[in-house]
Amino acid sequence: MNYFIFIKDGVMYDSRKYGIGCGGFPDIVIPRKRMTIESLPGRSGSLTSTDDCYDSYTKNLECYMEDDVYKDLSWLSGSGKLILSNELEREYDVTLKNNIELTQIATYWRNFILNFEVQPFKKSRDKHTLIYKEKSFNFRIGGNARALPIIYVTGTGNIDLTINGKTFKIKNLNTTIMLDSELQIAMEDQENALPKTNGDFPELSPGLNNFQITGEFVSIKIKYQETYL
Protein backbone atom coordinates (compact mmCIF):
# COMPACT_ATOMS: atom_id res chain seq x y z
CA MET A 1 0.00 0.00 0.00
CA ASN A 2 1.39 3.40 -0.98
CA TYR A 3 0.88 6.01 1.72
CA PHE A 4 2.01 9.46 2.81
CA ILE A 5 2.81 11.28 6.04
CA PHE A 6 1.85 14.92 6.56
CA ILE A 7 3.56 16.80 9.39
CA LYS A 8 1.79 19.98 10.49
CA ASP A 9 2.37 22.07 13.62
CA GLY A 10 4.71 19.39 14.93
CA VAL A 11 2.07 16.62 14.65
CA MET A 12 2.67 13.64 12.34
CA TYR A 13 -0.38 12.34 10.45
CA ASP A 14 0.08 8.94 8.80
CA SER A 15 -2.50 8.40 6.05
CA ARG A 16 -2.72 4.67 6.90
CA LYS A 17 -4.26 5.49 10.27
CA TYR A 18 -7.11 7.20 8.41
CA GLY A 19 -7.58 4.37 5.92
CA ILE A 20 -6.10 6.43 3.08
CA GLY A 21 -3.88 4.90 0.43
CA CYS A 22 -2.37 6.23 -2.78
CA GLY A 23 -2.93 4.64 -6.16
CA GLY A 24 0.52 5.72 -7.28
CA PHE A 25 2.98 8.54 -6.96
CA PRO A 26 3.87 11.13 -9.60
CA ASP A 27 7.35 10.97 -11.09
CA ILE A 28 10.20 12.50 -9.12
CA VAL A 29 11.04 15.72 -10.93
CA ILE A 30 13.85 18.25 -10.89
CA PRO A 31 12.38 21.72 -10.31
CA ARG A 32 12.71 24.31 -13.06
CA LYS A 33 15.48 26.89 -12.72
CA ARG A 34 14.32 30.46 -13.21
CA MET A 35 15.59 31.76 -16.54
CA THR A 36 15.33 35.11 -18.28
CA ILE A 37 15.66 35.09 -22.08
CA GLU A 38 16.34 38.38 -23.84
CA SER A 39 16.77 39.31 -27.47
CA LEU A 40 19.38 42.02 -27.97
CA PRO A 41 19.27 44.43 -30.93
CA GLY A 42 22.05 43.73 -33.39
CA ARG A 43 22.79 40.30 -31.94
CA SER A 44 21.66 36.98 -33.35
CA GLY A 45 20.06 34.49 -31.01
CA SER A 46 19.18 35.37 -27.42
CA LEU A 47 20.86 35.99 -24.07
CA THR A 48 19.95 33.69 -21.20
CA SER A 49 20.51 34.61 -17.55
CA THR A 50 19.55 33.07 -14.21
CA ASP A 51 19.66 34.01 -10.53
CA ASP A 52 20.32 30.32 -9.66
CA CYS A 53 16.91 30.04 -7.99
CA TYR A 54 14.26 27.40 -8.69
CA ASP A 55 10.48 27.55 -8.98
CA SER A 56 8.04 25.63 -6.82
CA TYR A 57 5.84 23.06 -8.55
CA THR A 58 2.66 21.03 -8.05
CA LYS A 59 2.57 17.41 -6.91
CA ASN A 60 -0.79 15.64 -7.18
CA LEU A 61 -1.53 12.54 -5.09
CA GLU A 62 -4.37 10.26 -6.18
CA CYS A 63 -5.88 8.93 -2.95
CA TYR A 64 -8.57 6.46 -2.01
CA MET A 65 -10.41 5.47 1.16
CA GLU A 66 -10.31 1.81 2.16
CA ASP A 67 -13.84 1.91 3.60
CA ASP A 68 -16.85 4.22 3.76
CA VAL A 69 -16.60 4.97 7.49
CA TYR A 70 -16.63 8.71 8.22
CA LYS A 71 -13.21 10.07 9.12
CA ASP A 72 -12.09 13.53 10.15
CA LEU A 73 -9.80 14.88 7.45
CA SER A 74 -9.48 18.42 8.81
CA TRP A 75 -5.73 17.83 9.23
CA LEU A 76 -5.41 17.86 5.43
CA SER A 77 -5.04 21.62 5.14
CA GLY A 78 -2.42 24.35 5.36
CA SER A 79 1.35 24.02 5.17
CA GLY A 80 3.73 21.41 6.51
CA LYS A 81 6.10 18.66 5.49
CA LEU A 82 5.20 15.79 3.18
CA ILE A 83 6.83 12.34 3.26
CA LEU A 84 6.00 9.71 0.62
CA SER A 85 6.35 5.97 1.19
CA ASN A 86 8.61 5.62 -1.85
CA GLU A 87 11.03 8.22 -0.41
CA LEU A 88 10.87 7.70 3.34
CA GLU A 89 14.32 9.23 3.87
CA ARG A 90 13.26 12.61 2.36
CA GLU A 91 10.76 15.35 3.25
CA TYR A 92 9.16 18.09 1.14
CA ASP A 93 8.02 21.53 2.31
CA VAL A 94 4.47 21.82 0.97
CA THR A 95 1.19 23.73 1.07
CA LEU A 96 -2.07 21.90 0.40
CA LYS A 97 -3.88 23.77 -2.37
CA ASN A 98 -7.27 21.99 -2.30
CA ASN A 99 -10.12 24.45 -1.90
CA ILE A 100 -12.92 21.88 -1.58
CA GLU A 101 -14.32 20.09 1.43
CA LEU A 102 -12.22 16.92 1.47
CA THR A 103 -14.22 15.24 4.21
CA GLN A 104 -17.39 15.31 2.12
CA ILE A 105 -15.62 14.18 -1.07
CA ALA A 106 -13.84 11.30 0.68
CA THR A 107 -16.94 10.13 2.56
CA TYR A 108 -19.30 9.98 -0.42
CA TRP A 109 -16.96 9.15 -3.30
CA ARG A 110 -14.02 7.58 -1.44
CA ASN A 111 -11.57 8.88 -4.05
CA PHE A 112 -9.95 12.27 -4.16
CA ILE A 113 -6.82 14.08 -5.33
CA LEU A 114 -4.55 16.12 -3.07
CA ASN A 115 -2.85 19.06 -4.77
CA PHE A 116 0.38 20.07 -3.04
CA GLU A 117 2.42 23.16 -3.87
CA VAL A 118 5.98 21.87 -3.37
CA GLN A 119 9.02 24.02 -2.60
CA PRO A 120 11.90 23.22 -4.97
CA PHE A 121 14.28 21.52 -2.53
CA LYS A 122 13.67 18.38 -0.52
CA LYS A 123 15.64 17.58 2.60
CA SER A 124 16.91 14.54 4.44
CA ARG A 125 14.78 13.60 7.43
CA ASP A 126 18.01 13.10 9.37
CA LYS A 127 19.04 16.31 11.11
CA HIS A 128 22.76 16.77 11.72
CA THR A 129 24.40 18.76 14.52
CA LEU A 130 28.12 19.60 14.64
CA ILE A 131 29.98 21.44 17.43
CA TYR A 132 33.47 22.92 17.08
CA LYS A 133 35.71 24.97 19.36
CA GLU A 134 38.55 25.39 16.86
CA LYS A 135 38.84 28.54 14.73
CA SER A 136 39.64 26.53 11.61
CA PHE A 137 37.98 23.28 10.55
CA ASN A 138 36.26 21.54 7.64
CA PHE A 139 33.71 18.80 7.13
CA ARG A 140 31.81 17.12 4.31
CA ILE A 141 28.07 16.93 3.76
CA GLY A 142 25.92 14.93 1.35
CA GLY A 143 23.14 16.04 -0.96
CA ASN A 144 23.33 17.75 -4.34
CA ALA A 145 22.14 21.28 -3.46
CA ARG A 146 23.16 23.97 -1.01
CA ALA A 147 21.99 23.49 2.57
CA LEU A 148 20.77 26.44 4.64
CA PRO A 149 21.92 25.79 8.21
CA ILE A 150 21.06 27.17 11.62
CA ILE A 151 24.29 28.30 13.25
CA TYR A 152 24.93 29.30 16.88
CA VAL A 153 28.09 31.35 17.44
CA THR A 154 29.28 31.93 21.02
CA GLY A 155 31.84 34.64 21.75
CA THR A 156 32.27 38.36 22.43
CA GLY A 157 33.06 41.43 20.40
CA ASN A 158 33.51 41.37 16.63
CA ILE A 159 33.64 37.97 14.91
CA ASP A 160 34.16 37.13 11.25
CA LEU A 161 32.71 33.81 10.09
CA THR A 162 34.19 32.75 6.72
CA ILE A 163 32.67 29.71 5.00
CA ASN A 164 34.07 28.55 1.68
CA GLY A 165 35.64 31.97 1.12
CA LYS A 166 32.52 34.05 1.91
CA THR A 167 32.61 36.16 5.10
CA PHE A 168 29.69 36.91 7.41
CA LYS A 169 30.46 39.60 10.00
CA ILE A 170 29.07 39.79 13.54
CA LYS A 171 29.56 42.98 15.57
CA ASN A 172 29.43 43.58 19.33
CA LEU A 173 28.44 40.04 20.25
CA ASN A 174 27.69 39.58 23.96
CA THR A 175 27.04 35.85 24.33
CA THR A 176 25.49 33.63 21.62
CA ILE A 177 23.90 34.63 18.33
CA MET A 178 21.60 32.34 16.34
CA LEU A 179 21.73 32.63 12.54
CA ASP A 180 18.91 30.98 10.60
CA SER A 181 19.95 31.01 6.95
CA GLU A 182 16.60 29.73 5.66
CA LEU A 183 14.46 32.32 7.45
CA GLN A 184 17.21 34.99 7.16
CA ILE A 185 16.98 35.97 10.82
CA ALA A 186 19.56 36.57 13.56
CA MET A 187 18.65 36.42 17.26
CA GLU A 188 20.59 37.13 20.46
CA ASP A 189 18.87 36.69 23.83
CA GLN A 190 15.47 36.47 22.05
CA GLU A 191 16.03 39.86 20.40
CA ASN A 192 16.56 40.78 16.77
CA ALA A 193 20.31 40.86 16.11
CA LEU A 194 20.25 41.60 12.35
CA PRO A 195 21.72 45.10 12.91
CA LYS A 196 24.79 43.37 14.37
CA THR A 197 25.43 41.38 11.18
CA ASN A 198 26.70 42.06 7.69
CA GLY A 199 27.00 39.80 4.65
CA ASP A 200 25.08 37.00 2.99
CA PHE A 201 23.74 34.37 5.37
CA PRO A 202 25.93 31.24 5.57
CA GLU A 203 25.35 28.34 3.17
CA LEU A 204 26.80 24.82 3.09
CA SER A 205 27.83 23.24 -0.19
CA PRO A 206 27.59 19.53 -1.08
CA GLY A 207 31.02 18.04 -0.42
CA LEU A 208 33.76 19.79 1.57
CA ASN A 209 33.02 22.93 3.60
CA ASN A 210 35.84 25.03 5.05
CA PHE A 211 35.35 27.32 8.08
CA GLN A 212 37.65 30.10 9.27
CA ILE A 213 36.70 32.18 12.34
CA THR A 214 38.41 35.28 13.71
CA GLY A 215 37.73 37.26 16.90
CA GLU A 216 36.95 36.36 20.52
CA PHE A 217 35.37 33.05 19.59
CA VAL A 218 34.35 30.30 22.04
CA SER A 219 32.35 27.71 20.09
CA ILE A 220 30.09 27.17 17.10
CA LYS A 221 27.14 24.78 16.67
CA ILE A 222 25.93 23.96 13.15
CA LYS A 223 22.55 22.29 12.49
CA TYR A 224 21.65 21.25 8.96
CA GLN A 225 19.77 18.81 6.76
CA GLU A 226 21.20 17.43 3.54
CA THR A 227 19.37 19.05 0.63
CA TYR A 228 18.42 17.66 -2.77
CA LEU A 229 16.93 18.90 -6.03
Side-chain angles (χ1 to χ4, degrees):
M1 174 182 177
N2 295 321
Y3 65 94
F4 67 91
I5 297 169
F6 187 48
I7 302 174
K8 184 175 72 168
D9 299 328
V11 180
M12 180 179 291
Y13 299 94
D14 188 322
S15 70
R16 294 172 295 181
K17 294 183 179 179
Y18 295 83
I20 299 174
C22 299
F25 292 126
D27 293 336
I28 297 173
V29 301
I30 296 177
R32 184 178 63 183
K33 181 178 282 192
R34 293 177 191 163
M35 308 288 287
T36 300
I37 301 175
E38 299 179 83
S39 297
L40 301 181
R43 173 176 173 171
S44 299
S46 57
L47 180 65
T48 302
S49 62
T50 178
D51 58 2
D52 287 326
C53 292
Y54 293 81
D55 290 326
S56 60
Y57 60 95
T58 299
K59 188 180 286 288
N60 299 319
L61 299 188
E62 297 180 2
C63 301
Y64 62 88
M65 304 286 286
E66 291 189 299
D67 54 51
D68 57 1
V69 177
Y70 172 82
K71 297 179 178 67
D72 179 15
L73 300 181
S74 60
W75 53 275
L76 282 173
S77 62
S79 299
K81 297 185 181 298
L82 176 67
I83 300 165
L84 305 179
S85 60
N86 65 334
E87 289 185 283
L88 287 174
E89 72 282 3
R90 307 276 188 265
E91 63 184 26
Y92 296 84
D93 291 314
V94 300
T95 298
L96 193 57
K97 296 169 59 178
N98 291 61
N99 57 3
I100 57 175
E101 177 50 60
L102 280 176
T103 299
Q104 182 177 0
I105 295 295
T107 300
Y108 291 102
W109 284 275
R110 297 175 59 190
N111 293 282
F112 55 96
I113 295 177
L114 297 177
N115 307 117
F116 288 100
E117 181 76 13
V118 182
Q119 295 306 308
F121 298 105
K122 55 187 173 183
K123 301 172 185 176
S124 66
R125 292 181 67 188
D126 291 333
K127 297 175 174 61
H128 304 273
T129 300
L130 304 174
I131 298 176
Y132 292 94
K133 296 185 177 181
E134 301 84 7
K135 288 191 173 183
S136 178
F137 58 90
N138 57 67
F139 59 88
R140 291 183 177 275
I141 70 170
N144 61 11
R146 61 178 182 160
L148 301 178
I150 297 175
I151 296 178
Y152 299 84
V153 180
T154 300
T156 56
N158 298 334
I159 294 176
D160 286 357
L161 176 61
T162 302
I163 305 174
N164 301 328
K166 295 182 179 180
T167 299
F168 186 85
K169 293 182 176 291
I170 304 167
K171 301 178 295 183
N172 303 321
L173 182 61
N174 295 317
T175 52
T176 298
I177 190 171
M178 184 277 290
L179 310 171
D180 189 322
S181 293
E182 184 165 10
L183 298 180
Q184 302 257 305
I185 60 175
M187 302 292 293
E188 183 182 14
D189 295 329
Q190 306 303 314
E191 294 184 359
N192 178 24
L194 272 178
K196 290 187 172 186
T197 68
N198 184 50
D200 294 331
F201 272 81
E203 298 177 354
L204 303 178
S205 300
L208 185 67
N209 290 267
N210 180 269
F211 278 65
Q212 302 286 334
I213 305 172
T214 61
E216 296 299 318
F217 163 77
V218 176
S219 67
I220 184 170
K221 178 165 70 173
I222 305 159
K223 302 173 71 174
Y224 72 94
Q225 293 170 268
E226 294 175 353
T227 305
Y228 300 82
L229 281 172

